[in-house]
Amino acid sequence: GAETPLVVAARRDAVEAIAVLVGQLGAGVNELGSPKQLRTALHIAIEDGSSVDVARALLKCGADVRVKDADGVTPLQLAW
């Protein structure tokens, strides 16, 4: 399945796009991706080693560090 626009923005370190997608277009910051992925944008950003600014932008937009992916892993656990 295709990645959500928010995940694409996180992968590309597009901090401004993250703010627009969530703040103006209503993207679900804690939405799990496609059935193949089942991770939030914050999960992906941490796994990919995206910039701290991306993680900060997602958190500022309401990303929850306790949302579990399909394997029961949270972004907080990935960060360790």
Side-chain angles (χ1 to χ4, degrees), residues 5-59:
L6 192 57
V7 167
V8 173
R11 285 190 189 277
R12 295 183 180 175
D13 288 336
V15 175
E16 293 86 10
I18 291 168
V20 169
L21 286 166
V22 176
Q24 295 177 17
L25 301 177
V29 73
N30 292 307
E31 180 181 325
L32 296 175
S34 67
K36 183 179 177 185
Q37 187 178 58
L38 289 179
R39 294 209 155 115
T40 66
L42 187 57
H43 281 99
I44 301 298
I46 291 169
E47 282 186 335
D48 283 2
S50 296
S51 73
V52 172
D53 291 336
V54 167
R56 188 175 291 128
L58 290 167
L59 291 167

